[in-house]
Amino acid sequence: MKRVISLLLAALMLTGVITAPPAAKAAGKKLIAITYDDGPGPYTDSLLDGLKARGVKATFFMLGNRVASYSSTVARMYREGHQLANHSYDHSNLANLSESGVRSQIQSTNRLLDKTCGSGTDYMVRAPYGSMNSNVSRGAGAPLIFWSVDPQDWLYRNAETVKNNIIRNAHDGAIILVHDIHSTSIPGSLAAIDYLKRQGYEFVTVRELFRRRGQSMKNGVQYSSCRSTGSDAGPVEAPIITGETENGRLRVTIKAQPGAAIYYTTGSGGLNQNSARYTGSFLTDYPCRLQAVAAYNMNGSRSETVTETFTMPKAKQPDIIVSEGILTIECAASDTEIHYTLTGAQDSGGWQLYTGEMPIEPGTEITAYSSCRGHLDSEQVRASFSERGTFFRDVFPGQWYYDAMDRAAAEGCMSGSGSGIFAPAKNITRGDLVTLLYRYSGESIEEGADLPIPFDDIAPGKYYAEPVAWAHNNGLVSGCGDGLFHPGRGVSRQEMAVIFYNFLNYRQLIPDDAGTGSWSYADEDKISSWAKEAVGFMSYAGLLQGNGKNEFQPLGNTTRAQAAAVLMRLEDYIGSINGQS
Ligand code: ZN
């Protein structure tokens, strides 16, 4: 039965007979505005420090005759997002003045505040002593702000009393009146702020208090608080600045929440009412530091300032290719000029404009970069066409392994990845080390010999399958003890020594007196017992060397450059033995 009823209700709701209750509206936060009168004064900067530390925006009703003496304080107040407001020029009782007298008091102060905020800024007014009449109302030309919480801080010059008087009377939507010309009012009001924040209050400027609650304010009308309407428009979100390159310049786009104006500058100063108004994306030049703020009103109703720096992007790097003695330099980006030298100098003034492929001689070093309008020059790219005719993109003359890598490549023992990349610093794999030796050996497995490969992880079609079969069959390598060869694993330096030593043994090139030569490394006690004989012979025969600290680092990985260097020393060693015989 229950089920039938709920189905019936659902059907009624669908047909609109009964509507679902509206989703509860976001109740909104408890908002409260704290205001400071009669300044600025000698304590205002320490107050600003305290407000900044708490992320609190306040409203300052200031006297014109004090503003000029504290111009840097006023500028800071504005920069930090507080609302600047007018408390007459000299604290006259405005109710005693004519309408034009009131206007003069208000406008002279507005003009002084304009020096910071920019002309055209709106300033709310608080009449001294709260003294009101129709002349004040008309002459102010602005909303008149009263208060609903008065701690009488001018009377009780005691921070604790000020604090307690504020928190005792605080309420949602309140406007709190304090005077920043009394030293005790600074710690008293800050302590009250801390307490009320813990109670869930959010401190906002007077202008934000009314905007967020959807209340419009009228000139000449008194406001002393802003009760909750149950809705909260929320704070002003910071704008989002994006930029992209367009014909060598920067196109800037700035987005903000609906209804908020965007003010921006590409200059070094701050933003105010007279800053440029964003009306749509625009072009500017690199490099560019851009500041922007979203605002419903620049004076007291704006976001944090956002800064973005845009630097010109770099042109795409060119690719150098040498194939059969022909040099080609390409760049994937269009409208790009390529500059090159064949002298090997990277900072040479002798750059030439690349116009097309050209033959080059072995022993040529090539350097190139791209340039493109609206871009910084690309990073330089180097390549080497070696004396032995190998094209290298990552091995260069002057590197300790250059000659060994070049020889190993020229002799077909070591090959690059097809595009001149030899990865000298990369660890050599077990598969590659065995392939290196196999190629060096000049041996080949006779067709149909069908050497057994006793490892499950060596597929017959792999480039290292034949080398592994050869090496295993001739006692150069064994598996890893788990029935597998692990061709992709690295090779420690002592393992490398053993494999090369086994090769010499296989070729019967170990002299009878091997083991009598002397060798020593600072870390020789780290060499495993099974590797000592190999490391020892290879070292005193000059095939292995320690590092600058005379360490062998037996457990360190063998790089491709180290493997090539040892192989070439081995070749020289074998050559010298054969020469003697
Ligand atoms: Zn006052």
Side-chain angles (χ1 to χ4, degrees):
M1 189 63 189
K2 213 171 168 188
R3 186 176 156 77
V4 172
I5 288 174
S6 59
L7 278 173
L8 185 67
L9 274 171
L12 287 170
M13 279 163 71
L14 280 173
T15 53
V17 177
I18 300 174
T19 50
K25 230 176 182 179
K29 283 186 149 180
K30 288 195 284 186
L31 301 181
I32 195 162
I34 191 157
T35 67
Y36 292 93
D37 282 18
D38 297 357
Y43 313 119
T44 308
D45 271 301
S46 76
L47 171 62
L48 290 173
D49 292 341
L51 295 173
K52 188 176 184 181
R54 291 161 175 79
V56 164
K57 310 291 185 218
T59 305
F60 289 86
F61 289 94
M62 292 180 281
L63 296 172
N65 65 6
R66 306 192 70 123
V67 165
S69 321
Y70 290 94
S71 58
S72 68
T73 304
V74 174
R76 176 183 172 189
M77 211 178 259
Y78 183 75
R79 193 170 60 241
E80 294 182 355
H82 301 291
Q83 181 179 343
L84 279 55
N86 192 323
H87 194 39
S88 84
Y89 184 78
D90 58 8
H91 215 270
S92 294
N93 186 336
L94 301 183
N96 294 337
L97 302 180
S98 64
E99 185 185 326
S100 71
V102 171
R103 191 168 286 123
S104 164
Q105 282 272 334
I106 298 304
Q107 291 188 351
S108 59
T109 300
N110 282 353
R111 279 193 297 274
L112 290 164
L113 293 174
D114 274 354
K115 288 180 180 170
T116 293
C117 307
S119 57
T121 297
D122 297 329
Y123 304 99
M124 294 182 184
V125 169
R126 175 173 285 157
Y129 316 105
S131 191
M132 273 292 293
N133 64 17
S134 58
N135 283 343
V136 176
S137 188
R138 284 195 297 270
L144 291 154
I145 309 305
F146 282 63
W147 53 89
S148 61
V149 176
D150 180 4
Q152 294 190 289
D153 62 320
W154 53 272
L155 178 62
Y156 305 107
R157 304 289 181 90
N158 177 294
E160 190 65 17
T161 309
V162 172
K163 172 195 164 190
N164 290 333
N165 287 354
I166 293 172
I167 65 182
R168 187 165 48 246
N169 297 304
H171 59 89
D172 179 35
I175 297 174
I176 306 166
L177 168 66
V178 198
H179 299 81
D180 56 321
I181 52 167
H182 304 306
S183 64
T184 45
S185 295
I186 311 304
S189 63
L190 291 174
I193 287 170
D194 289 337
Y195 176 88
L196 292 171
K197 281 183 76 173
R198 285 196 299 274
Q199 301 298 307
Y201 282 95
E202 181 182 348
F203 281 81
V204 292
T205 63
V206 172
R207 201 186 300 278
E208 276 289 272
L209 176 62
F210 286 81
R211 180 192 71 81
R212 285 179 59 167
R213 295 192 155 168
Q215 302 295 302
S216 59
M217 302 177 83
K218 293 185 179 64
N219 293 350
V221 174
Q222 295 180 39
Y223 300 92
S224 53
S225 67
C226 182
R227 301 280 173 184
S228 175
T229 54
S231 68
D232 179 353
V236 194
E237 283 158 31
I240 294 164
I241 308 173
T242 52
E244 58 186 314
T245 301
E246 183 177 310
N247 296 322
R249 302 188 74 206
L250 171 68
R251 178 166 290 283
V252 175
T253 304
I254 314 177
K255 289 200 166 75
Q257 69 197 79
I262 297 168
Y263 294 80
Y264 72 94
T265 177
T266 53
S268 55
L271 289 157
N272 75 8
Q273 184 73 26
N274 300 139
S275 298
R277 275 282 295 272
Y278 177 82
T279 53
S281 75
F282 59 89
L283 283 169
T284 186
D285 289 309
Y286 286 108
C288 175
R289 182 176 175 273
L290 202 111
Q291 296 177 75
V293 69
Y296 293 101
N297 188 305
M298 281 295 278
N299 184 21
S301 187
R302 67 177 199 247
S303 73
E304 299 298 330
T305 301
V306 175
T307 304
E308 287 286 350
T309 303
F310 296 97
T311 48
M312 197 175 267
K314 280 186 178 166
K316 197 169 166 37
Q317 274 187 327
D319 279 324
I320 299 172
I321 300 120
V322 178
S323 178
E324 293 172 9
I326 302 296
L327 167 66
T328 310
I329 314 179
E330 295 172 340
C331 188
S334 56
D335 299 328
T336 303
E337 285 187 340
I338 296 169
H339 310 264
Y340 74 98
T341 76
L342 301 180
T343 64
Q346 284 111 66
D347 51 359
S348 142
W351 295 103
Q352 301 185 63
L353 188 64
Y354 176 81
T355 53
E357 61 179 39
M358 68 193 86
I360 54 167
E361 295 296 318
T364 301
E365 280 189 78
I366 311 118
T367 308
Y369 70 89
S370 306
S371 64
C372 179
R373 189 166 151 254
H375 292 73
L376 300 172
D377 289 346
S378 77
E379 301 288 344
Q380 291 180 10
V381 185
R382 296 174 69 189
S384 169
F385 184 47
S386 80
E387 289 285 1
R388 296 182 181 87
T390 306
F391 170 50
F392 285 118
R393 293 208 289 185
D394 57 358
V395 178
F396 302 104
Q399 290 167 327
W400 67 267
Y401 48 77
Y402 178 77
D403 194 59
M405 296 282 289
D406 190 23
R407 274 174 67 187
E411 291 171 19
C413 304
M414 186 171 259
S415 49
S417 58
S419 53
I421 302 297
F422 282 73
K426 221 173 139 184
N427 295 332
I428 197 163
T429 61
R430 287 165 56 80
D432 280 355
L433 184 67
V434 166
T435 303
L436 186 78
L437 262 174
Y438 179 61
R439 289 180 183 165
Y440 169 73
S441 75
E443 297 178 27
S444 63
I445 295 172
E446 277 172 47
E447 198 120 6
D450 199 23
L451 283 186
I453 304 174
F455 307 115
D456 291 342
D457 58 347
I458 303 293
K462 289 284 186 189
Y463 68 91
Y464 47 71
E466 217 175 87
V468 169
W470 166 82
H472 183 260
N473 206 47
N474 294 313
L476 272 58
V477 292
S478 49
C480 292
D482 55 0
L484 301 176
F485 184 71
H486 295 288
R489 253 186 209 171
V491 184
S492 72
R493 287 169 51 79
Q494 63 184 7
E495 285 167 349
M496 175 266 292
V498 168
I499 292 170
F500 278 107
Y501 183 69
N502 288 346
F503 177 78
L504 289 173
N505 236 332
Y506 157 62
R507 284 286 179 91
Q508 299 180 326
L509 294 169
I510 307 289
D512 295 338
D513 58 355
T516 58
S518 78
W519 59 281
S520 89
Y521 291 112
D523 57 352
E524 63 189 52
D525 57 329
K526 289 185 187 150
I527 300 168
S528 302
S529 56
W530 49 264
K532 277 226 157 107
E533 182 186 326
V535 173
F537 172 74
M538 297 277 289
S539 298
Y540 85 74
L543 301 175
L544 288 178
Q545 292 167 1
N547 62 16
K549 295 182 205 161
N550 192 36
E551 291 165 341
F552 179 64
Q553 299 196 317
L555 302 178
N557 274 308
T558 309
T559 64
R560 288 166 55 83
Q562 287 167 352
V566 176
L567 181 70
M568 289 304 115
R569 287 187 214 126
L570 186 100
E571 182 177 64
D572 291 342
Y573 172 79
I574 292 173
S576 70
I577 288 180
N578 291 342
Q580 283 164 15
S581 62

